[in-house]
Amino acid sequence: MPELQMMIFTVIGLALLFDFINGFHDTANAIATSVSTRAIHPQTAIIMAACLNFAGAMYSTGVAKTIGGDIVSAAEMVDERVIIAALIGAIIWNLFTWLIAMPSSSSHALVGGIIGAVLVSVGPAGLNFEGIGKIVLSLIASPIIAMGTGCCIMLLLFRIFGGFSPSSLNHKFKKMQILAAGMMAFSHGSNDAQKSMGIITLALLAGHYISVFEVPTYVKVLSATAMAAGTAIGGWRIIKTVGGKIFKLEPISGFASDLNSSLIIFSATLLHLPVSTTHVVSGSIMGVGTAKRANAVRWGVAQQMVMAWVLTIPCTAIMGALAYHVVMMVFM
């Protein structure tokens, strides 16, 4: 019994650490555009993002149920060791990509870590391939949709406000951009924090601490707090990449990007689908930049980011598989 309790506490601790890292790794998603255009002071932006991340994380648990219920075929097929290994793989990848200032998907990292750990523990029978397919499809389709809708929103704004002088237009949109950044922070919390909630709840169910897959209130509060704390730390390395290296943003284009991203992410939350906020925001910025002119986007940087996205699931699956063998030696 003491060993089982130690493992469940380890799962909760690692899941909250993952949430914390997700917070500072993905802070850029919510505030990079508004900071890069100087619409808001960086420290103010981080405090705003942290508060709204917390509020968004408390909104619902639909995404948590998708993560906890659609990747593995049944809770009985996994145990705390598998979940610990999956979290270790995802955390290592998130820290590595943060150190090299490369935006990557925490969602992809978590899914990959679970797949790798389950494959080496119980084999393919432990995976719900239909559920994984739905999750991967939402993760792949969301940035493509974001790019298309971002381009459309920017073209619409050009058509509506094309007669205004650039200086006057950008001055007006600085205030609008703060509102859009707030919407982005809330939607980020509403989708991303639920991934750790789902993992913790799956571990509680697998360990027979709860009888049905319902996220306990204390899990919601802990996950929301961990993400808000991570956001408060800030992620300046990623902010520089997202905010300036893909496309030189102005307040009007920053507003279009944040508005588009927040609408797509929150729509996914309502549909109980996990998406990568990093992918959605980057796709939005590329779409907005393309609306101005295609060569305004630094496609070389975009290509590097896409490569990181493609590598995330297989790399974290390998890390999760290797971590499982280490965990088995620790918790025999």
Side-chain angles (χ1 to χ4, degrees), residues 112-164:
I114 295 172
I115 290 173
V118 171
L119 280 175
V120 297
S121 61
V122 297
L127 295 174
N128 178 357
F129 288 100
E130 182 180 348
I132 291 172
K134 181 180 73 173
I135 291 171
V136 171
L137 181 62
S138 69
L139 290 170
I140 293 173
S142 54
I144 298 172
I145 295 170
M147 189 171 178
T149 54
C151 183
C152 291
I153 288 176
M154 193 69 241
L155 289 172
L156 180 62
L157 291 177
F158 281 149
R159 180 175 291 273
I160 296 172
F161 299 103
F164 290 79

Side-chain angles (χ1 to χ4, degrees), residues 157-170 172-173:
L157 291 177
F158 281 149
R159 180 175 291 273
I160 296 172
F161 299 103
F164 290 79
S165 67
S167 59
S168 172
L169 197 60
N170 283 324
K172 288 180 170 62
F173 269 95

Side-chain angles (χ1 to χ4, degrees), residues 72 111 118 244:
V72 298
V111 171
V118 171

Side-chain angles (χ1 to χ4, degrees), residues 215-295:
V215 182
T217 302
Y218 71 88
V219 173
K220 291 175 66 176
V221 173
L222 287 172
S223 299
T225 302
M227 174 159 282
T231 301
I233 297 299
W236 303 112
R237 292 172 181 267
I238 308 295
I239 286 174
K240 290 179 180 177
T241 300
V242 174
K245 291 187 178 180
I246 301 174
F247 166 67
K248 184 174 176 55
L249 292 162
E250 298 173 335
I252 186 171
S253 53
F255 167 79
S257 173
D258 283 346
L259 176 64
N260 183 58
S261 299
S262 63
L263 291 175
I264 289 176
I265 294 168
F266 193 66
S267 295
T269 299
L270 294 177
L271 294 171
H272 301 171
L273 293 173
V275 294
S276 166
T277 53
T278 305
H279 289 201
V280 171
V281 172
S282 299
S284 293
I285 293 173
M286 292 176 201
V288 166
T290 302
K292 187 173 183 179
R293 62 181 188 279
N295 61 4

Side-chain angles (χ1 to χ4, degrees), residues 85-98:
L87 286 166
I88 290 173
I91 287 169
I92 291 173
W93 180 259
N94 272 356
L95 288 174
F96 170 72
T97 52
W98 174 76

Side-chain angles (χ1 to χ4, degrees), residues 193-213:
Q194 291 192 48
K195 292 153 191 172
S196 290
M197 294 181 201
I199 288 297
I200 294 173
T201 307
L202 175 62
L204 292 172
L205 184 62
H208 305 291
Y209 292 93
I210 57 176
S211 57
V212 293
F213 196 100

